[in-house]
Amino acid sequence: MLQRPRRNRKSAAIREMVEETTLTTKDFIFPLFLLEGTKKSVPVDSMPGINRLSLDNMLKEIEECLNLGVKVFDIFPVVDEKYKDKTGTASYDENFFYLKALTEIKKKFPEACIMTDVALDPYSVDGHDGIVDDNGVILNDETLDVLAQMAVAQAETGIDIIGPSDMMDGRVAEIREALDESGFTNTSIMSYTAKYASAFYGPFRDALDSAPKSGDKKTYQMNPANKREALIEAEQDELEGADMLMVKPAMTYLDVIHLIREKTELPVTAYNVSGEYAMIKAAAQKGWLDNDRVILETLLSIKRAGADAILTYFAKEAAQLLKK
């Protein structure tokens, strides 16, 4: 028998030597939920181990993560109903707590890479990513101007990466033009390129209280049945000036991650979303899965599929596991 593949598995040293994919803390982007006020840490019931944090506690969390080697953070605002309206005007109000907090975070930790989210749903009374008309139709072109204003307002705080998650047509070009015209030519865009209308987003919407008040998001988020359509979105985002392309969710869309990785030279990222996190945590709490091993195997599989970086709620925990 000339070929015995097991020879390359016979010891830990050999297995490590021929290992094709390596997971490190450099691969992680940690999503965080920001609350207005101080001294707040409110658990997200559907996401064990994840809390909504006021700025003071978020600064502590970021410092702990930096010490573990996690350097990139995606910060989402938890917006009270009193700030919400039809067109998300709070999102670009310079006095809004989210924008002020971003400024403080970058001032405290200039070495941290801070990413922000651009979409209307946290700020909208309708809970949709775009402006909704009286007939329940999502208005694509009217939304673009608000998204551009939101992006510029976030860039003014000194953040590093804009993450348009809205899935409106043409939003990358609109945001890129607005950023450049405002002097933010170095602010990156990580486009949510293939964001699917997935059932795995529930815990995230609980965390932000941003679920649609009526209807669903299927007219702008992608059909989970489609793969080739992701290439259309990827090509458009790249032509419009995106610096990085994201696939969301990750675990059930590994084929899409791989497909886009094969078709672009841009960095490809993947969002290991809240439902994927909750599913693993629930099974681990029941004793049905080995929490630590499943976390690392899950993240490794996403990277193996072709993701250059992974947005994951496991980031801090995985960094602790890797440090061991």
Side-chain angles (χ1 to χ4, degrees):
M1 194 182 298
L2 295 177
Q3 292 293 330
R4 289 184 180 269
R6 286 183 57 192
R7 285 195 286 261
N8 287 339
R9 306 173 197 147
K10 67 184 179 183
S11 71
I14 290 177
R15 289 194 297 271
E16 290 173 4
M17 181 180 72
V18 300
E19 190 170 76
E20 298 174 27
T21 307
T22 304
L23 193 68
T24 77
T25 56
K26 296 176 184 178
D27 301 317
F28 303 149
I29 301 171
F30 194 14
L32 297 170
F33 301 124
L34 178 70
L35 281 170
E36 187 175 21
T38 58
K39 298 180 180 179
K40 294 179 181 178
S41 181
V42 182
V44 180
D45 292 338
S46 52
M47 299 177 70
I50 299 298
N51 298 298
R52 308 171 187 91
L53 301 171
S54 54
L55 176 60
D56 50 344
N57 285 322
M58 185 168 288
L59 291 173
K60 294 174 185 176
E61 180 78 339
I62 290 173
E63 185 172 20
E64 289 179 13
C65 290
L66 288 171
N67 289 333
L68 288 168
V70 178
K71 300 177 182 179
V72 189
F73 305 89
D74 191 1
I75 300 175
F76 296 89
V78 182
V79 182
D80 191 275
E81 286 292 328
K82 66 185 178 184
Y83 295 119
K84 298 182 181 183
D85 58 26
K86 293 287 288 185
T87 58
T89 54
S91 66
Y92 50 87
D93 181 348
E94 63 181 13
N95 293 313
F96 190 53
F97 81 94
Y98 177 57
L99 297 176
K100 287 185 172 182
L102 293 174
T103 302
E104 287 301 310
I105 291 168
K106 281 302 294 183
K107 188 182 297 182
K108 175 75 172 176
F109 301 112
E111 72 276 23
C113 176
I114 304 299
M115 178 176 168
T116 53
D117 180 68
V118 171
L120 260 69
D121 53 331
Y123 311 93
S124 167
V125 291
D126 297 301
H128 276 285
D129 293 29
I131 297 171
V132 184
D133 72 7
D134 294 338
N135 298 314
V137 176
I138 312 300
L139 303 177
N140 189 96
D141 295 5
E142 291 82 348
T143 299
L144 297 183
D145 181 59
V146 180
L147 299 176
Q149 292 184 71
M150 191 187 309
V152 170
Q154 292 173 0
E156 287 173 342
T157 69
I159 59 92
D160 305 276
I161 303 172
I162 297 290
S165 64
D166 56 285
M167 289 300 288
M168 298 296 116
D169 291 337
R171 88 273 202 208
V172 173
E174 191 84 10
I175 290 170
R176 184 72 271 162
E177 182 179 1
L179 289 172
D180 289 353
E181 288 180 350
S182 300
F184 298 109
T185 56
N186 288 328
T187 304
S188 304
I189 296 176
M190 183 189 295
S191 174
Y192 285 60
T193 292
K195 181 180 181 181
Y196 285 85
S198 171
F200 284 94
Y201 301 151
F204 176 92
R205 292 172 181 169
D206 290 344
L208 294 190
D209 189 23
S210 62
K213 300 299 188 291
S214 62
D216 54 44
K217 301 191 176 188
K218 293 179 180 179
T219 66
Y220 48 100
Q221 294 180 356
M222 286 178 55
N223 184 345
N226 293 355
K227 182 165 68 172
R228 294 191 304 270
E229 186 180 6
L231 294 178
I232 298 172
E233 293 283 357
E235 182 180 19
Q236 181 170 326
D237 286 357
E238 190 165 347
L239 290 172
E240 290 183 8
D243 300 287
M244 292 163 267
L245 307 178
M246 186 201 295
V247 176
K248 180 182 180 183
M251 286 172 61
T252 47
Y253 296 84
L254 297 176
D255 58 330
V256 181
I257 297 170
H258 181 71
L259 180 67
I260 292 179
R261 171 70 285 154
E262 293 292 299
K263 297 293 184 178
T264 183
E265 297 302 317
L266 292 179
V268 175
T269 66
Y271 202 145
N272 178 211
V273 298
S274 60
E276 296 169 339
Y277 175 92
M279 191 166 56
I280 290 172
K281 281 298 182 184
Q285 287 182 346
K286 286 283 189 180
W288 295 340
L289 292 175
D290 182 320
N291 179 80
D292 297 357
R293 290 182 62 195
V294 169
I295 288 172
L296 295 180
E297 184 178 340
T298 296
L299 297 176
L300 188 68
S301 73
I302 296 168
K303 187 174 181 184
R304 189 185 65 238
D308 297 290
I310 307 165
L311 291 89
T312 177
Y313 300 97
F314 291 121
K316 184 179 181 181
E317 189 173 1
Q320 291 168 332
L321 293 173
L322 291 173
K323 194 170 184 179
K324 290 180 183 178

